[in-house]
Amino acid sequence: MAETQWNDVEDTIADPEELRVIFCALDSYLQYAKVAHFNCTHLRRQSFYALPQADWQMLAAPPFNYLDTLDKVDDAIESNAQLARIIVKTGLPSFLSPDQLAAADPAQEPTIPQQWAGCAKYQDVDKARSTLRQLYRDWSAGGAPEREACYGPVMRALAAEKAAKDTTNTNYPPLRVLVPGAGLGRLVFDLCLSGFDAEGNEISYHQLLASSYILNCCERAGRHTIYPWIHTFSNHQTRANHLRGYPVPDIHCATELARAAAERGPDAIGSMSMVAADFLCSYADEGHADAYDAVASVFFLDTAPNLLRYLQTIFHCLKPGGVLVNVGPLLWHFENNAPGSHGHDESDDGDTTGIADPGSFELCDDEVMALLGRVGFEIEARETGIEAPYIQDAESMLQTVYRASGWVARKPAAAATATATAVVV
């Protein structure tokens, strides 16, 4: 079952800067509705009524019904905002002092402590918007093709690894899999459901708050409806598609785990945890040396300013004979950021991994493969050109699809631990 507390959070929330980041994330979810209404409909109504009267009257009537469209967009924003507020309501108590908890009224809407009220900036609110959209990818039935494209190869590679272990020892314990950059936690959950002991690592509190709600608190499948396409009015073939909603989550996590345990036995279900921390800071220490049978990297490696240190840390974490399974493009997140500006990333998915690392460089795919060898990995399988959309509206007139790289690289069984401990910080 999922843990209800985030590992390592209790040790960090006394840090004022960490608290600021946490409450900016919480506050940004509360600000989402106001900002989205202003940007999506208020400004458009102003522009619409600035048209000549005869023009806007024509466009307000059938078949265009433009003002009705704006009203429907407002309704969709409110549906998204309802989910955003519940994410705050379930997440906020973990970060309040005992006095603040005692003063809170559970019947009222969540309230950020006064010293943090309004602390979220535009970038924070944009990350909240992006995370709500990402629920389409990880936790809706509509996002299943995207999940199959990127999680499918990883699940199949790890299933083969599990089968190979089981054939040599029927009492082999569950494979321990680390998922860095776990995002909204769907891959971690699916691995747990498939019998792996899965540990997710994520630095974005926007995503941690949302995943914690879905994994631990959401009462049922289809509890909410999200509208991922309403924030832009471009490239829609029909208004119905622009306004299309998707029930989330597509499954109820506790129900699925209970069903799987009843059908296959409780020993067939793995464990699941999420660690809220910077990947390099948390996993390059001695406590994580030779700790995991596998690392599942999906759309993660290109979040590194210094890929070498990412790969060294992964090598350090893997047991001798363990595997790194990767699927993703090379959209280097810090390509346009000068060294030292990490932590100010404005990428669409809200990722800020790598904030502890100075310096940066970018490689092409062939060079990444060469770097794997230099670190000590042995490449066992490779596929290029994997078509992998990312929060893509399949009905849009604009289609953007990554041609991702997928591969399996193994840490040699005889690899010396000392090789990897050089990366400890």
Side-chain angles (χ1 to χ4, degrees), residues 55-381:
D55 293 355
W56 71 252
Q57 286 180 338
M58 179 185 69
L59 295 170
F64 310 104
N65 301 308
Y66 192 77
L67 292 174
D68 290 341
T69 293
L70 296 182
D71 290 340
K72 291 175 181 177
V73 170
D74 278 327
D75 291 341
I77 290 170
E78 281 304 308
S79 183
N80 290 351
Q82 180 189 42
L83 173 54
R85 287 189 286 268
I86 290 178
I87 289 172
V88 176
K89 187 173 184 178
T90 56
L92 181 60
S94 297
F95 308 106
L96 295 178
S97 68
D99 289 344
Q100 290 169 331
L101 277 172
D105 184 350
Q108 300 298 318
E109 288 295 320
T111 303
I112 300 292
Q114 185 60 41
Q115 67 268 37
W116 301 110
C119 65
K121 307 303 182 187
Y122 177 81
Q123 178 182 328
D124 301 305
V125 181
D126 195 52
K127 289 177 181 178
R129 175 200 60 80
S130 178
T131 303
L132 293 170
R133 290 180 66 242
Q134 194 167 336
L135 286 163
Y136 162 79
R137 175 178 172 85
D138 264 23
W139 293 104
S140 81
E146 292 195 14
R147 295 195 297 274
E148 170 56 28
C150 60
Y151 300 160
V154 173
M155 297 293 293
R156 289 188 287 273
L158 292 177
E161 191 74 7
K162 179 182 178 184
K165 301 291 186 184
D166 288 346
T167 58
T168 59
N169 184 350
T170 56
N171 295 319
Y172 198 91
L175 296 188
R176 191 178 182 196
V177 182
L178 173 63
V179 184
L184 293 180
R186 183 58 181 262
L187 180 57
V188 175
F189 175 81
D190 286 349
L191 287 168
C192 169
L193 196 63
S194 298
F196 298 93
D197 286 346
E199 179 179 319
N201 163 241
E202 179 56 54
I203 194 173
S204 167
Y205 279 108
H206 288 85
Q207 299 198 38
L208 286 162
L209 288 162
S211 66
S212 180
Y213 171 68
I214 295 294
L215 291 167
N216 300 310
C217 305
C218 190
E219 306 98 324
R220 58 179 173 82
R223 169 68 176 80
H224 305 277
T225 300
I226 60 165
Y227 296 84
W229 320 132
I230 58 168
H231 304 98
T232 174
F233 281 58
S234 299
N235 292 309
H236 296 294
Q237 294 193 47
T238 67
R239 193 61 68 192
N241 188 66
H242 178 203
L243 299 170
R244 182 179 298 171
Y246 300 83
V248 296
D250 60 320
I251 58 172
H252 181 242
C253 295
T255 299
E256 291 301 311
L257 290 173
R259 180 184 296 118
E263 293 175 353
R264 295 185 275 132
D267 292 340
I269 307 303
S271 65
M272 177 169 52
S273 61
M274 289 286 282
V275 176
D278 177 88
F279 174 64
L280 293 178
C281 290
S282 289
Y283 290 92
D285 62 4
E286 286 293 341
H288 290 90
D290 301 342
Y292 301 92
D293 298 282
V295 172
S297 165
V298 178
F299 279 67
F300 173 70
L301 293 183
D302 56 4
T303 70
N306 182 347
L307 177 61
L308 178 58
R309 290 197 61 210
Y310 264 35
L311 293 177
Q312 288 172 329
T313 302
I314 291 170
F315 192 91
H316 169 77
C317 289
L318 284 170
K319 298 176 182 178
V323 292
L324 165 59
V325 184
N326 176 77
V327 173
L330 292 178
L331 178 64
W332 297 107
H333 287 212
F334 294 101
E335 179 175 1
N336 297 314
N337 288 17
S341 66
H342 309 320
H344 303 283
D345 180 27
E346 297 182 9
S347 59
D348 185 63
D349 62 4
D351 196 348
T352 55
T353 47
I355 62 173
D357 209 37
S360 62
F361 63 90
E362 301 83 32
L363 299 181
C364 66
D365 194 45
D366 284 348
E367 292 168 338
V368 171
M369 307 311 294
L371 187 61
L372 285 165
R374 292 295 182 92
V375 171
F377 285 102
E378 296 175 351
I379 299 167
E380 293 191 344

Side-chain angles (χ1 to χ4, degrees), residues 32-52:
Y32 161 77
K34 178 182 69 176
V35 173
H37 283 306
F38 181 80
N39 288 333
C40 294
T41 58
H42 175 73
L43 293 178
R44 282 188 170 84
R45 286 190 178 94
Q46 286 186 328
S47 297
F48 185 75
Y49 284 119
L51 293 168

